[in-house]
Amino acid sequence: NAAGVESESRMAASKSQKALRWKHREARGGPSVPSRKDDFSAQDVKVKARLKREGALDREAVKNAAGVEFWLNTHDHGEIEPENELEKTWRLKQDEVASLVEVGAASKRYDLKLGQLGPYACSYSRDGRWLLLGGKKGHLAMLDWQKHKMVCEVQVRETVKDVCFLHNNVFFAAAQRKEVYVYDKRGLEVHRMRDHKDVEKLCFLPNHFLLSSIGMQGVLRYQDTSTGEIVAQHRTKLGPCKAMCLNSYNGVVLCGHAGGTATMWSPNMTTPLVKMLCHRGPVNSLAVDQSGRYLVTVGTDKQMKVWDVRTFKLLHAYFCSAPAKSVEISQRGLVGISWGSRVQVWKDALQTKASAPYMNHQQSSGHIRQIRFCPYEDVVGIGHEGGFSSILVPGAGEPNYDSFVASPYQTRRERREHEVHSLLDKLQPDTIVLDPQSVGNIKLDPKQVVAQKKEQQRAAAAAIVSKQRTKNESKQKMKGKNKPTKRHRKKQLNIIRDNKEAVEELVKQKTAQNQREVGEHVPSALKRFF
């Protein structure tokens, strides 16, 4: 018996190994698993053909599912893990990290020394391939940072406060000393937005083709970049604003003000959707994660706070050694903050409170102005007084990209097709709400409005009945039309109509009274017997 059990286990193991080999072979594009010939018991030719097509589709679906599971099921996202409790990941320097990764990943760590034109503001495109730099002394540059190739460079000879890409890498906007200008990838000025005055921060909504700006005047403006029209202008009435970010989940723009408050705005309302008191001093920067659930704010009170956007409650608070100037959240939930010349990256700091930072970096080129995570890459871009630096943060970027949303390997033809599809799928500003799931649902009227409508319907029905009765009474009766049975039937019909509403209300009251007398201890299935 023992020998038989051992042989059966060996046969099962060999079958599982064989199935696994066939699965890997299918994922690599090899021949499919040999299957038995389809059993067509039906005599009809059309049924045979339909069954044959369905069988082919089933086999193709199994093959595609196996390929997706084999290639995209990445259990390890490249994070740094200590071997024991004594090792700390925040002690690793960038030289050590670069020596441990492959040569291609190590080349993504570099420094651009531009000390005379800084400090620099930086921005990455949605696909993570293009980098935009804006120096405070008027230097604008766009480059393909992975190939270290300059695309365009221009000197505007006035202060540049912020920069951002528009719907693709062809156009970008720069907030200069007085107004906002739009440039193309050749560095040529294509548009001048005279309505945007004294702008400090820029933000682009890709799904709505809206460019939002806010600055020293405290006026939040939305401009449609596809038509050139100003969609909305809101006066925040909270003073100058130097912090703004976008909630990519619902399209709501968040602003941080000097009074320590953070507000959420939509172009549909002139007042903020939500107003939160976050800090005891000015809010320097804020960021929202990809899921739209967590909000991270930093202020001059040397605190970094994590908020739940669904309940607007404080979850965690972290103390910094100095007031933080910039905060950013990566695609995989890593939080990066900067103050002075130091950059810290926190892991698992949103859902739970982390005890120590994930990585720590000391910049030797002066104070840091802004940090940005590169999409789909384990890279953090740092704009500082000495220029721009790129450091490695394993586990920051999403390893699998969606080519229908943003493709780093997009060709010119694909970019044009994507631009056309984006314009066709453009969302209207009316769809920007706190809960995007509510768009398209049926909005029920309040109880007072429903009761008022019912009362109006009852009055209208009563008026029609009284009018008909008056008409019948004044009508000349013909021979044979006024029989006793017919008069009795009409009389009973009128009685039922008049007493119908009173009877329904009485039944409801009795039902409610019976439910109260029965109590909650009786199951709902047995309440009808009481």
Side-chain angles (χ1 to χ4, degrees):
N1 295 333
V5 170
E6 185 177 359
S7 62
E8 289 180 0
S9 62
R10 288 179 180 177
M11 291 176 63
S14 62
K15 287 182 179 180
S16 62
Q17 293 178 359
K18 187 176 181 181
L20 184 62
R21 287 197 300 269
W22 277 109
K23 188 176 182 180
H24 290 179
R25 188 176 301 179
E26 289 179 5
R28 290 190 295 268
S32 59
V33 181
S35 59
R36 298 180 180 179
K37 188 176 180 180
D38 295 333
D39 184 16
F40 298 121
S41 59
Q43 298 295 329
D44 193 355
V45 178
K46 292 184 179 180
V47 175
K48 289 183 179 180
R50 182 172 60 83
L51 293 176
K52 189 174 182 179
R53 288 195 300 269
E54 290 180 357
L57 290 175
D58 292 341
R59 290 192 295 271
E60 186 68 20
V62 171
K63 182 179 178 180
N64 294 337
V68 170
E69 183 181 358
F70 180 77
W71 293 112
L72 298 183
N73 191 11
T74 55
H75 300 283
D76 187 7
H77 299 281
E79 298 175 353
I80 300 176
E81 296 182 358
E83 295 182 356
N84 51 58
E85 297 180 356
L86 299 178
E87 291 187 355
K88 303 297 180 182
T89 57
W90 56 268
R91 293 178 179 173
L92 285 176
K93 304 297 182 183
Q94 283 296 309
D95 295 335
E96 299 178 77
V97 176
S99 63
L100 296 175
V101 299
E102 60 178 357
V103 178
S107 63
K108 298 175 183 178
R109 173 178 172 259
Y110 59 90
D111 293 317
L112 298 178
K113 296 182 179 180
L114 305 167
Q116 299 179 356
L117 302 174
Y120 275 83
C122 56
S123 177
Y124 286 99
S125 59
R126 293 184 69 193
D127 54 11
R129 180 177 177 181
W130 311 95
L131 173 65
L132 180 62
L133 300 177
K136 191 174 182 180
K137 297 182 181 179
H139 180 221
L140 294 175
M142 186 175 70
L143 58 143
D144 186 350
W145 67 272
Q146 293 184 354
K147 297 180 179 180
H148 304 285
K149 179 182 178 182
M150 180 69 68
V151 179
C152 72
E153 188 177 14
V154 61
Q155 174 59 250
V156 296
R157 297 183 180 181
E158 63 178 8
T159 304
V160 176
K161 301 177 182 178
D162 197 14
V163 292
C164 75
F165 280 102
L166 298 186
H167 56 279
N168 54 24
N169 64 300
V170 178
F171 299 99
F172 62 91
Q176 298 178 197
R177 186 171 62 91
K178 289 185 177 181
E179 299 169 349
V180 176
Y181 294 82
V182 177
Y183 300 88
D184 63 358
K185 64 179 182 180
R186 297 172 296 176
L188 302 179
E189 178 186 332
V190 296
H191 193 65
R192 180 181 180 184
M193 300 181 177
R194 301 179 184 271
D195 296 324
H196 299 258
K197 301 288 186 181
D198 297 329
V199 174
E200 292 288 338
K201 284 293 180 180
L202 293 173
C203 185
F204 184 74
L205 286 67
N207 297 328
H208 305 80
F209 278 76
L210 294 178
L211 178 65
S212 61
S213 66
I214 196 168
M216 301 303 294
Q217 296 179 358
V219 180
L220 178 63
R221 296 181 175 88
Y222 291 88
Q223 184 162 1
D224 194 333
T225 57
S226 61
T227 60
E229 298 178 355
I230 294 291
V231 176
Q233 294 189 29
H234 302 324
R235 293 187 178 275
T236 60
K237 300 179 182 179
L238 296 173
C241 179
K242 296 184 179 181
M244 183 172 65
C245 73
L246 171 66
N247 187 347
S248 58
Y249 174 70
N250 52 17
V252 173
V253 174
L254 293 89
C255 300
H257 304 277
T261 58
T263 54
M264 302 182 186
W265 295 87
S266 170
N268 310 318
M269 295 183 63
T270 57
T271 56
L273 302 174
V274 178
K275 186 177 180 181
M276 304 165 53
L277 181 60
C278 298
H279 295 273
R280 296 182 179 178
V283 179
N284 293 333
S285 181
L286 66 169
V288 183
D289 69 331
Q290 295 287 330
S291 63
R293 296 181 179 180
Y294 301 100
L295 167 66
V296 180
T297 61
V298 294
T300 55
D301 56 354
K302 300 182 181 181
Q303 287 191 8
M304 180 184 74
K305 295 184 178 181
V306 181
W307 304 82
D308 191 339
V309 180
R310 296 167 293 181
T311 59
F312 311 111
K313 293 182 179 180
L314 178 64
L315 298 179
H316 319 292
Y318 301 87
F319 290 90
C320 308
S321 59
K325 296 297 182 182
S326 179
V327 64
E328 184 76 5
I329 302 178
S330 72
Q331 291 178 324
R332 295 196 53 79
L334 300 185
V335 181
I337 59 172
S338 67
W339 67 85
S341 58
R342 182 177 294 274
V343 177
Q344 278 189 355
V345 180
W346 293 76
K347 176 185 173 184
D348 299 332
L350 299 178
Q351 295 87 352
T352 59
K353 187 171 183 179
S355 58
Y358 174 60
M359 293 194 69
N360 199 358
H361 175 68
Q362 182 69 34
Q363 188 66 36
S364 60
S365 302
H367 290 277
I368 296 172
R369 179 180 178 182
Q370 195 176 45
I371 62 171
R372 287 289 182 266
F373 281 99
C374 181
Y376 308 106
E377 294 288 346
D378 296 340
V379 168
V380 174
I382 305 173
H384 48 80
E385 292 181 346
F388 178 81
S389 299
S390 177
I391 63 174
L392 301 177
V393 180
E398 179 65 34
N400 305 316
Y401 66 90
D402 189 354
S403 59
F404 290 98
V405 177
S407 175
Y409 310 103
Q410 197 175 52
T411 61
R412 180 181 298 180
R413 182 177 179 180
E414 291 175 349
R415 176 179 56 79
R416 292 175 178 175
E417 292 289 336
H418 184 266
E419 185 174 2
V420 172
H421 285 289
S422 300
L423 286 171
L424 293 175
D425 298 337
K426 185 181 76 169
L427 300 178
Q428 295 300 320
D430 299 339
T431 59
I432 300 177
V433 291
L434 280 177
D435 185 13
Q437 301 297 332
S438 62
V439 177
N441 295 340
I442 299 176
K443 184 178 180 180
L444 300 177
D445 294 332
K447 293 183 179 180
Q448 298 178 355
V449 178
V450 173
Q452 185 178 1
K453 289 182 178 180
K454 286 185 177 180
E455 189 64 28
Q456 293 177 357
Q457 292 177 0
R458 292 171 186 171
I464 293 173
V465 171
S466 62
K467 183 179 179 181
Q468 187 66 28
R469 287 177 181 175
T470 306
K471 182 179 178 181
N472 292 338
E473 291 176 358
S474 62
K475 185 177 180 182
Q476 185 179 3
K477 298 179 177 59
M478 299 177 65
K479 185 178 180 179
K481 296 294 184 180
N482 197 19
K483 293 181 180 180
T485 55
K486 197 167 187 179
R487 289 201 309 269
H488 181 70
R489 189 164 56 249
K490 288 183 179 180
K491 185 177 180 180
Q492 292 298 324
L493 181 62
N494 294 337
I495 292 173
I496 293 174
R497 285 183 177 177
D498 294 340
N499 298 340
K500 183 178 179 180
E501 298 176 0
V503 171
E504 289 179 353
E505 188 67 24
L506 184 61
V507 170
K508 288 182 180 179
Q509 293 178 1
K510 288 184 177 181
T511 304
Q513 184 178 0
N514 293 337
Q515 290 179 356
R516 288 194 298 268
E517 292 177 356
V518 169
E520 298 180 355
H521 63 280
V522 179
S524 59
L526 302 178
K527 286 183 179 180
R528 57 182 177 176
F529 298 107
F530 288 87

